[in-house]
Amino acid sequence: MNSCTVGTNFETADEGSSRQNDVINSKKFLKIDMHTHILPKHWPDLKKKYGYGGWVQLDHHEPGKARMIIDGKNFREIQCNCWSADERVRECTGNGVDVQVISTVPVMFSYSAKPQHTLDLARYLNDHIAQVCAEDPKHYIGLGTLPMQSPELAVQELKRCINELGLVGIQIGSHINEWNLDSPELDPIWEACDELKVPVFVHPWDMENKGRMEKYWFPWLVGMPCETTIAICSMIFGGILERYPNLKVAFAHGGGSFPATIGRIVHGFNVRPDLCAIKIKKSPLEYINRIYVDSLVHDEDTLQFLIKKIGIDKIMLGSDYPFPLGEHHPGKLIEGCDWLSDEDKEKLLSGNLLKFFGIEHKFNKEMYHKN
């Protein structure tokens, strides 16, 4: 695992000057970041390998930096902390983060490709994540990706991720092409996750980006929260949470717009049961305790509201590292809330995550922080 020397954080001067104090103060808590993304440094030319376009390729155009290219167009520039495990540990140490849960970048889901090709890529990405975790199990926990457009192949890879690779869960998109998450085609995947007790992390992706959504980064600022809300409502109204009682599902970015629209959603269920109460009879409020979210809301008032609506036991530290829209100092928002007790901060910074993934026995504060 190669490190790199190019500066990769997005902090301001003021943020940097206070970071060391934040790290010192954070040592009283174990900090595990459940929402981080990673890529291999290299992978094959997928267009050449599979015979058609739509795939992401990396162009390492200068030391410590690479462009993610799709069909000749620049999708995003990334830095070495997106592929260098050593650089990630260095930055985590600087920010007081002890462990990262790593998953692929959502644009790599490739659900619109031929299923066998998506499976082939998923295996490559999952093998890489498993290798990173195996080489440094103290700092990394892995989530797999699946060819969700083929439930049969997805279940096959799911079982490999858990039983052979030692990953602790999976990351999926907020929809699968034209399928919302309640589409009956996906039932075999939910059944397998329920049976094997595999936690699922849902990340928004493939947002509308044309017409009125073209400007101002709207797909990320507005589209992502909407995508997550549709995903949550699909799982509630579609009866997924009802039918699969062991299914654990977490949603990115504090659950998107869902927490702020719970009242509207419940009211709609009550006044238009002919449209909303088709597959479930209980109020959507009955399923709130099945929903987990990360803490990535960027605002103290919003975090307090999220705790009130979702519950202190259902929120897990998540930063979206290493991307600029994430929390640049993971956990700083939580640790800075004077109205949170130390017990509640411990839950948000690691305790809830350890229970969600069923790995309480593998990690503890004493492994990282010596008094």
Side-chain angles (χ1 to χ4, degrees), residues 196-245:
L196 298 173
K197 295 181 172 58
V198 177
V200 180
F201 178 47
V202 180
H203 196 293
W205 88 300
D206 193 29
M207 300 79 66
E208 179 61 48
N209 59 9
K210 304 297 183 183
R212 295 166 59 235
M213 295 292 287
E214 285 187 280
K215 296 191 294 184
Y216 312 126
W217 214 15
F218 275 178
W220 272 257
L221 301 183
V222 179
M224 278 193 165
C226 181
E227 271 292 323
T228 302
T229 304
I230 293 172
I232 295 174
C233 288
S234 294
M235 298 196 77
I236 292 176
F237 287 127
I240 305 302
L241 298 180
E242 176 74 32
R243 298 200 305 275
Y244 301 105

Side-chain angles (χ1 to χ4, degrees), residues 68-230:
M68 299 178 72
I69 306 293
I70 304 176
D71 295 334
K73 296 182 179 180
N74 184 33
F75 172 74
R76 171 185 290 159
E77 183 175 277
I78 59 174
Q79 299 183 334
C80 60
N81 57 2
C82 205
W83 66 77
S84 170
D86 291 341
E87 177 68 13
R88 295 170 75 99
V89 170
R90 187 189 71 78
E91 292 191 2
C92 284
T93 300
N95 285 320
V97 173
D98 300 299
V99 188
Q100 286 186 334
V101 179
I102 54 175
S103 56
T104 194
V105 179
V107 72
M108 303 297 288
F109 288 153
S110 305
Y111 297 149
S112 62
K114 295 179 181 179
Q116 285 288 352
H117 296 157
T118 303
L119 173 63
D120 184 61
L121 177 59
R123 289 175 65 92
Y124 188 94
L125 297 171
N126 293 336
D127 286 348
H128 168 255
I129 287 174
Q131 180 182 0
V132 171
C133 295
E135 291 179 355
D136 192 354
K138 185 177 179 180
H139 292 108
Y140 294 111
I141 303 166
L143 303 181
T145 185
L146 307 178
M148 294 289 289
Q149 71 271 43
S150 173
E152 180 181 357
L153 295 180
V155 171
Q156 172 187 314
E157 181 62 9
L158 169 71
K159 292 179 178 179
R160 191 181 80 96
C161 285
I162 303 304
N163 298 330
E164 297 180 27
L165 298 183
L167 304 182
V168 300
I170 58 171
Q171 176 192 224
I172 69 169
S174 50
H175 67 276
I176 318 300
N177 302 324
E178 298 303 314
W179 298 341
N180 277 328
L181 296 186
D182 64 326
S183 292
E185 290 87 351
L186 298 174
D187 281 353
I189 301 173
W190 302 132
E191 183 176 349
C193 290
D194 184 76
E195 179 181 347
L196 298 173
K197 295 181 172 58
V198 177
V200 180
F201 178 47
V202 180
H203 196 293
W205 88 300
D206 193 29
M207 300 79 66
E208 179 61 48
N209 59 9
K210 304 297 183 183
R212 295 166 59 235
M213 295 292 287
E214 285 187 280
K215 296 191 294 184
Y216 312 126
W217 214 15
F218 275 178
W220 272 257
L221 301 183
V222 179
M224 278 193 165
C226 181
E227 271 292 323
T228 302
T229 304
I230 293 172

